Amino acid sequence: MSESLRLALQSTLRVRSRMVDRLREQGIRDEQVLAALMAVPRHLFVEEALASRAYEDTALPLGLQQTISQPYVVARMIELLRAGRENLGKTLEVGTGCGYQAAVLAQVATEVYSVERLRGLIDRARINLRHLRLLNVRLKHADGSVGLQEAAPYDTIIVAAAAPRVPPALVEQLAEGGRLVLPVGTTEQTLVLIERTPRGPRETRLSPVRFVPLLSGTE
């Protein structure tokens, strides 16, 4: 390894470590979630011109009117799914985007099925993820608003776009005891946790959030 490459890697690790420290200060307590964010090089998933901002706690544009979620939101949503569990089990991600969240999920899930409706993004995610050689991630170009019935049921489901209401198909694809976390709303959005219990779905409304809208169909 050249000296310049070694120094660049050290610099990246330091910046990533500072991002994780900020998340801890913001209230993320699950050390496995923090370790998962530390393990994934976020700068590889953003546009080259934005690489210097990759570890800021902010959403960044991906093109096609989509964004990569801010690190805190990624950490918070995964922490909600993981609470009290050894791992996420079989996970469905709706909204692959650039592949970053799928890479983080892969660190704490047995299997990750990630669905993206935009062909341009799913192709980019495949390229981004190829370098990490994550054997437990499967990507599919499909309409995520109806889930992915072929691999259901799922222990956990995470949605990276805001639905006007909780999609019934996603609740139906949850395993007994499974958890779904997603933003719900249009102008005003709220993070919602759904738990599938023997008595039916139990809903907990959490904090305000801001996501791109969940759309149906594929492009």
Side-chain angles (χ1 to χ4, degrees):
M1 182 187 297
S2 70
E3 181 64 11
S4 60
L5 179 57
R6 185 183 67 81
L7 291 172
L9 288 173
Q10 286 182 345
S11 176
T12 298
L13 288 172
R14 282 196 299 270
V15 176
R16 209 182 308 167
S17 181
R18 286 198 293 272
M19 176 192 75
V20 169
D21 288 342
R22 286 197 305 272
L23 293 175
R24 193 178 282 111
E25 290 168 2
Q26 289 174 277
I28 302 300
R29 295 286 176 258
D30 190 323
E31 288 297 327
Q32 288 196 41
V33 173
L34 293 169
L37 272 85
M38 183 65 195
V40 179
R42 192 171 186 253
H43 65 279
L44 298 182
F45 292 85
V46 302
E47 299 288 346
E48 188 174 348
L50 295 172
S52 63
R53 300 185 59 198
Y55 297 101
E56 295 177 7
D57 191 31
T58 186
L60 295 172
L62 295 175
L64 301 176
Q65 297 181 312
Q66 304 298 304
T67 60
I68 179 174
S69 296
Q70 70 183 94
Y72 175 79
V73 170
V74 173
R76 177 63 176 145
M77 292 175 78
I78 298 175
E79 184 175 59
L80 287 167
L81 291 177
R82 235 189 66 81
R85 297 179 178 221
E86 185 175 342
N87 62 55
L88 297 184
K90 185 199 292 185
T91 298
L92 172 65
E93 178 192 33
V94 176
T96 310
C98 60
Y100 173 71
Q101 185 168 258
V104 177
L105 289 166
Q107 313 299 314
V108 290
T110 308
E111 301 174 88
V112 178
Y113 292 83
S114 187
V115 179
E116 173 58 58
R117 64 181 293 272
L118 298 175
R119 171 69 70 181
L121 284 185
I122 199 82
D123 289 345
R124 190 185 309 173
R126 285 196 174 98
I127 293 170
N128 291 340
L129 290 167
R130 190 176 301 152
H131 303 295
L132 300 182
R133 294 187 171 91
L134 299 171
L135 301 180
N136 61 338
V137 176
R138 297 167 178 82
L139 306 184
K140 180 149 187 168
H141 178 224
D143 180 357
S145 68
V146 295
L148 187 64
Q149 183 62 47
E150 65 195 58
Y154 302 96
D155 301 300
T156 51
I157 300 177
I158 186 168
V159 183
R165 62 193 62 82
V166 178
L170 298 184
V171 179
E172 290 167 7
Q173 290 172 31
L174 273 181
E176 192 71 41
R179 292 174 181 160
L180 158 66
V181 65
L182 77 166
V184 176
T186 51
T187 305
E188 295 183 0
Q189 300 171 8
T190 303
L191 197 60
V192 174
L193 175 68
I194 306 288
E195 299 172 271
R196 187 163 187 175
T197 75
R199 296 185 177 182
R202 181 171 62 211
E203 179 177 312
T204 304
R205 300 181 73 83
L206 302 160
S207 53
V209 287
R210 172 58 57 190
F211 281 78
V212 297
L214 179 67
L215 303 177
S216 59
T218 59
E219 296 179 20

